[in-house]
Amino acid sequence: MNDTEGTTAHHVIPLPRRAGARTDGGAGCLLDEGTGIEAQAGAGFVAQWLRATVGAATGLPLPPHHAGCTSRILLRVTPETGRGLGPEGYRLVIGEGLVTLEGGGEAGLFWGAQTLRQLLGPDAFRRAPLAPDVRAWALPALRIEDAPRFGWRGTMLDVARHFTPKDGVLRWIDLLAAHKLNVLHLHLTDDQGWRIEIARHPELTRTGGWRERTKLGHRASPLWDERPYGGYYTQDDIREIVAYAAQRHISVVPEIDIPGHAQAAIAAYPELGNTDVIDTTSLKVWDTWGVNPNVLAPTDNTLRFYEEVLEEVLELFPSPFVHIGGDECPKDQWKASATAQARIAELGLDGEDGLQSWFIRHFDRWLADRGRRLIGWDEILEGGLAEGAAVASWRGYAGGIAAARAGHDVVMCPEQQVYLDHRQHAGPDEPVPLGFVRTLEDVYRFEPLPPQLTDREAAHVLGTQANVWTEVLESRQRIDYQVFPRLAAFAEVAWSQLPSPQDRDYQEFTRRMTVHYRRLDALGVAYRPPTGPLPWQKRPGLLGRPIEGAPPNV
């Protein structure tokens, strides 16, 4: 239960575990040109980050602390065994002339610096001072002790359907960090585009990275954007993204889809498809949305091709987890393929479903042999999993519950609750409305941990993730609108020790959001206003696919 108190502390999002006025009744701290930063061992990057962000916004130099400084920000990493903060926990104490910030690890220190930035006010999120002659910034006298509820606090960004250029991904990482989220799942490949350079297979991006045109709106829409569309990340782009995220204690998890959602790869290398069923040389990168019938052929050549892809992926991404998709794989081509049927017979598999499980198990073992762990959408449960594999439960809670009971680690991301491409309001002005209505309050009352699980089973729930699919999110502005402000509510669910959903104080959260909207304004985030979309945020005439009623709890 959270025991936060104090009006100023309540402006912090996510809500800290414990916060309140200092018991000695002392004064707060004034940051000015005489303020220096004392960074002890392990605190160097946080000091650098404070100078680059808070220093830029305030106009304060924040030099290394020296004898001439009149106030001090003390940064230190305190081992977990010594003070019990945990590696992502922090303690922030603000007193007269001294701000002390300590983390149980470097990550905790960084999350504490995010809280410190929030306490300075929304203008601390700008890139330059609004009033250069103002050289004093007040911090209240308080004490905060904080640590996250879950170790996996993520978002999935789909860059395959609509491509987010590198600079946009770096911006996205900063937005995740500002909300104390620590996993970025990049959906890099799909039927509509292949977005990562693979040196051994250059046609994946040369051909697979571009489509001739793009469906506008839901797949039932008659409208098209006739311009060619595409893009991809070079391997150096990926290295930069991963390094930038790592500095901010965010892990980047790559997704390479196997065996479905593969038409872009087959368009680039037709031999990967079921050549005895269709003319794969006629396939192009898909230009519309939905579940695609063109899936990978179950051949040794296909396995080796994707092993070579993953060899390069492992060199670029140090994440212990690699996501291989495993979802929405139609079996019609395998049923009609003599090659597929011969493989089923050779291996003694249980039909076409067993063939999909064979694909997953192959790469499960292959990744495990290289010290990595496979994670996939909950369809990978069908046919059984190896011990180390993890499940992203997207079709509801059921897959995650089954996985946890079977001893598998789970990330909860049910589409009915935390697919942020789904609409935020039932009104007619919502742009390209998809799915169920999930309001800011709905997301705030989302509970990642199913009550059906025992304590032992619940320990397998690594955390939670909000997914952002981009079929109808063609720009940064559209992504901003769909994701914010709901990502702030999701971040609090993932980080904070909140009461049960029905007991959560949503009105208190909305009071803190009045300040947080100003932070998002300062960051240039084109969020959905509480009063509804602005005129330029609407998309009149673009067909969506709204689903009426409350989402099922499945």
Side-chain angles (χ1 to χ4, degrees):
M1 193 71 178
N2 194 289
D3 57 358
T4 302
E5 59 183 45
T7 302
T8 304
H10 280 189
H11 293 160
V12 175
I13 290 178
L15 187 68
R17 186 167 294 189
R18 286 182 290 276
R22 286 174 36 239
T23 56
D24 60 10
C29 186
L30 199 67
L31 303 189
D32 57 22
E33 291 187 336
T35 301
I37 296 178
E38 180 183 340
Q40 296 186 356
F45 175 76
V46 172
Q48 175 186 334
W49 182 86
L50 284 169
R51 291 188 185 102
T53 55
V54 172
T58 61
L60 302 179
L62 301 176
H65 180 71
H66 55 83
C69 289
T70 55
S71 60
R72 176 170 49 133
I73 300 173
L74 172 61
L75 306 174
R76 63 188 178 204
V77 176
T78 304
E80 179 183 1
T81 54
R83 303 299 287 270
L85 290 174
E88 289 194 282
Y90 66 90
R91 182 179 294 112
L92 174 63
V93 181
I94 300 173
E96 187 171 2
L98 177 63
V99 175
T100 301
L101 175 57
E102 57 182 343
E106 291 182 42
L109 191 70
F110 181 68
W111 304 134
Q114 296 289 348
T115 296
L116 179 64
R117 187 188 191 188
Q118 289 196 18
L119 293 171
L120 284 167
D123 287 343
F125 288 77
R126 297 188 179 275
R127 296 190 182 185
L130 298 184
D133 55 334
V134 175
R135 295 295 188 181
W137 293 67
L139 285 168
L142 53 76
R143 177 186 180 92
I144 294 177
E145 291 190 8
D146 200 8
R149 180 186 181 192
F150 291 111
W152 185 302
R153 307 179 304 280
T155 64
M156 187 284 303
L157 182 61
D158 171 19
V159 297
R161 272 58 174 270
H162 277 102
F163 180 62
T164 296
K166 181 194 69 177
D167 286 352
V169 177
L170 300 181
R171 171 184 181 264
W172 185 254
I173 289 168
D174 281 331
L175 290 172
L176 299 188
H179 292 83
K180 300 186 177 74
L181 297 168
N182 68 345
V183 176
L184 171 58
H185 167 184
L186 277 182
H187 182 74
L188 290 164
T189 74
D190 214 297
D191 301 302
Q192 297 85 3
W194 186 286
R195 307 295 179 211
I196 178 172
E197 177 188 25
I198 301 298
R200 274 174 289 189
H201 301 295
E203 288 301 323
L204 285 171
T205 48
R206 188 180 298 146
T207 296
W210 307 89
R211 58 180 179 257
E212 293 182 351
R213 62 177 186 169
T214 299
K215 174 67 71 174
L216 288 176
H218 182 256
R219 60 181 176 270
S221 166
L223 303 178
W224 297 89
D225 183 338
E226 297 291 348
R227 295 173 297 177
Y229 182 90
Y232 65 91
Y233 308 109
T234 68
Q235 294 201 357
D236 281 346
D237 290 339
I238 293 293
R239 292 184 181 97
E240 181 181 357
I241 288 167
V242 168
Y244 192 84
Q247 289 177 328
R248 289 148 182 81
H249 300 279
I250 293 171
S251 176
V252 184
V253 176
E255 179 176 351
I256 306 295
D257 268 301
I258 303 168
H261 289 287
Q263 182 160 321
I266 298 169
Y269 292 94
E271 66 271 19
L272 297 174
N274 294 283
T275 58
D276 59 346
V277 176
I278 63 166
D279 177 12
T280 56
T281 62
S282 68
L283 293 179
K284 299 179 180 179
V285 177
W286 212 25
D287 54 14
T288 189
W289 321 121
V291 178
N292 189 297
N294 295 302
V295 301
L296 297 175
T299 63
D300 291 340
N301 175 67
T302 299
L303 295 182
R304 183 55 193 149
F305 184 95
Y306 273 85
E307 287 171 359
E308 290 173 352
V309 167
L310 289 170
E311 284 168 2
E312 296 191 28
V313 167
L314 296 190
E315 291 176 359
L316 296 168
F317 294 91
S319 164
F321 289 95
V322 175
H323 203 298
I324 52 77
D327 63 315
E328 296 181 330
C329 179
K331 311 299 191 299
D332 294 343
Q333 290 184 359
W334 289 346
K335 290 177 180 177
S337 166
T339 301
Q341 293 303 311
R343 176 123 292 185
I344 290 171
E346 171 197 348
L347 299 173
L349 300 176
D350 184 16
E352 292 76 28
D353 289 340
L355 196 56
Q356 179 169 349
S357 178
W358 170 78
F359 260 110
I360 303 303
R361 284 178 170 274
H362 175 88
F363 288 102
D364 191 352
R365 292 190 300 270
W366 189 90
L367 288 167
D369 288 345
R370 288 152 183 80
R372 305 296 183 96
R373 295 181 64 187
L374 181 148
I375 184 169
W377 303 114
D378 54 57
E379 287 97 327
I380 68 172
L381 284 166
E382 299 161 7
L385 282 178
E387 183 177 345
V391 172
S393 188
W394 77 273
R395 291 181 293 182
Y397 288 101
I401 292 170
R405 286 175 173 168
H408 294 288
D409 288 340
V410 176
V411 175
M412 284 293 185
C413 49
E415 64 168 331
Q416 302 87 353
Q417 311 296 331
V418 287
Y419 268 32
L420 298 186
D421 49 306
H422 285 196
R423 58 193 174 135
Q424 304 180 65
H425 193 273
D429 289 333
E430 288 303 302
V432 202
L434 294 180
F436 297 102
V437 173
R438 291 288 86 191
T439 65
L440 182 66
E441 181 173 1
D442 291 330
V443 174
Y444 191 66
R445 297 192 188 279
F446 164 62
E447 174 50 49
L449 202 58
Q452 303 96 310
L453 297 179
T454 66
D455 289 346
R456 183 175 181 179
E457 293 164 349
H460 283 291
V461 179
L462 301 176
T464 184
Q465 180 171 292
N467 293 339
V468 185
W469 299 101
T470 62
E471 287 95 333
V472 300
L473 308 183
E474 77 284 354
S475 66
R476 187 182 90 177
Q477 289 77 16
R478 282 288 292 120
I479 292 174
D480 280 4
Y481 179 90
Q482 289 299 133
V483 171
F484 293 97
R486 293 184 293 180
L487 193 70
F490 173 80
E492 185 147 309
V493 167
W495 176 280
S496 304
Q497 296 286 339
L498 298 177
S500 59
Q502 65 273 18
D503 295 328
R504 293 176 189 171
D505 191 345
Y506 177 68
Q507 295 306 314
E508 190 276 336
F509 173 73
T510 60
R511 284 193 292 272
R512 284 183 286 125
M513 279 300 299
T514 60
V515 176
H516 200 66
Y517 284 120
R518 293 170 56 204
R519 296 182 190 124
L520 296 177
D521 287 332
L523 288 166
V525 175
Y527 58 86
R528 181 190 190 274
T531 54
L534 299 170
W536 62 269
Q537 292 174 319
K538 301 174 185 178
R539 292 291 185 275
L542 284 189
L543 183 68
R545 183 177 172 266
I547 304 174
E548 302 304 330
N553 187 14
V554 294

